[in-house]
Amino acid sequence: MKIERPKGTRDFTPAEMAERNYVEKVIESVFERANYSQIKTPTFEHVELFEEKSGEDIKAHLYTFEDKKKRVLCLRPEATAPVCRMYAETLRNMPMPVKAYYFDPMFRYEEPQKGRYREFWQLGLELIGAKGALADAEVIYLAYSCLKKLGLRFRLELSHLGVMRGLLSSLKLSESDQRKVIACVDKKDFVEVKKIVGDETFFKLVSLRGGKKELEEARKLLHGYGKASEALNELAEITEILDLLGVEYVVDFGVARGLEYYTGMVFEVRVDCLGAQNQIAGGGRYDDLIELFAGVSVPAVGFAFGFDRVVEAMKEQKISFPKKEVDVVVAPTSSDVRGEAMKIAADLRSSFIVDVDLMERRLGRILEYASVINAKYVVIVGRKDLGRGEVTVRNMLSGEQRNIPLSKIKEEISKDFD
Ligand code: HAM
């Protein structure tokens, strides 16, 4: 019987998991050092959670199913709405701001291609309860720091949805038309946008891309558009903090985001090496989402890495991952010393990464195995040596072998670990 993986899913080999674990650790350590704590939400939720404010794109790609009691559930397509639900249900009494991060699989029924999967991982964070430029800048800074720490080359594109929305409101577009326009701008479908917006100012705005000069141009362009100008001031304030922190960014008024819950600052991170699916992170401020579940208005901001794409971009950019290291392989030379060999391995494991022969192989074969897995030492356990309270320690790099008393094995091996 041949059963294959479901379309859009992947298996990960031990080598791939070692790479993924490394990336996870680097990112999580940046989050932990900024005092964010990990949370978990369920893999499936009531479908209504994503219906109100996630946007058409997400809704079209939901993995929906009915349970035995006819409840309509879905595998989570993203984690921001679940975290807001969790905030309303269980996190409300925590000291503010709530600083939470997650690393979980998400599910979207999309057409798979390079960098786009039906099951994919997001490593993201949400900062709940803090409003203003400082909170926005912190979130952007954390995303930036993680990618710098991993050694990636990337572009951070920054905008503020209040600018686009403010202008569209001044142009008297209804809420639903605004949503349509923002979704089309996100997809760079300007033919559709033209059908709804006639004003040239809008097209000038969304094509503005650069730095301080473009912010100034936007200021001139939006002179007299009250709400849009206010949002622009907020964006300028964020950029000033980012400048202080040494964060490199591109102000791009064409960044719109595919999800509907954003209300303020938005950002996306892109790389050149991944083809069409080149967005490796996205986020922004969503001050109206929590109210939907909690009944009170609570400001919030966050972002998520497309974890798989971060790992893939690192490979494309030839960034090396630390190799998995095996310090010792313990090799019994006959079946009557296997128990003792296992005991020696168990003791050594308090200090080293230790493999022990479990295949009942002959010594020559164990040495071959140790060499294939790049072990640094082989501890050869033989009956005769044991009788003298000794083992033979072989340095796999130099080929040198020495008889060592049982009580001194750790010392011998530690020499090279200083
Ligand atoms: P998003 O932009 O939809 O935002 O997803 C975040 C990241 O997940 C994307 O930048 C992309 O790298 C990755 N991603 C999305 N779909 C796929 C897929 N099918 N296969 C592989 N990777 C994918 C959100 O989900 C928001 N919840 C982010 C956020 C957190 N905003 C505020 N807080």
Side-chain angles (χ1 to χ4, degrees), residues 330-344 356-362 366 381 383 386:
V330 180
T333 55
S334 54
S335 49
D336 59 327
V337 293
R338 285 189 202 289
E340 275 107 328
M342 186 61 108
K343 168 97 177 57
I344 291 168
V356 59
D357 176 65
L358 301 167
M359 300 286 287
E360 309 200 359
R361 285 176 173 137
R362 290 206 316 275
I366 303 175
V381 183
R383 176 54 55 216
L386 274 184

Side-chain angles (χ1 to χ4, degrees), residues 10 58 77-81 102 108 110 115-122 124-126 257-259 261-262 268-269 277 279-286 301-309:
R10 286 151 302 153
I58 287 276
E78 62 109 35
T80 306
Y102 46 84
R108 296 185 191 176
E110 295 182 294
R116 189 160 79 190
Y117 310 101
R118 290 185 172 175
E119 181 192 39
F120 62 98
W121 272 256
Q122 282 187 353
L125 63 78
E126 312 294 344
R257 305 285 297 133
L259 291 141
Y261 46 64
Y262 295 108
E268 291 179 345
V269 181
Q277 305 304 319
Q279 193 199 118
I280 59 169
R285 174 162 288 283
Y286 49 96
V301 57
F303 82 97
F305 286 116
F307 184 79
D308 311 271
R309 293 183 191 174

Side-chain angles (χ1 to χ4, degrees), residues 56 164-165 167-169 171-186 189 192-198 202 256 260:
E56 292 310 316
M164 206 185 286
R165 277 186 187 279
L167 178 58
L168 292 173
S169 297
L171 297 173
K172 303 274 180 282
L173 255 75
S174 68
E175 182 57 35
S176 89
D177 272 351
Q178 287 189 28
R179 272 207 296 269
K180 266 189 229 154
V181 169
I182 291 172
C184 290
V185 172
D186 179 53
D189 183 355
E192 255 330 283
V193 178
K194 277 219 162 76
K195 289 184 192 159
I196 310 173
V197 191
F202 183 79
E260 270 176 21

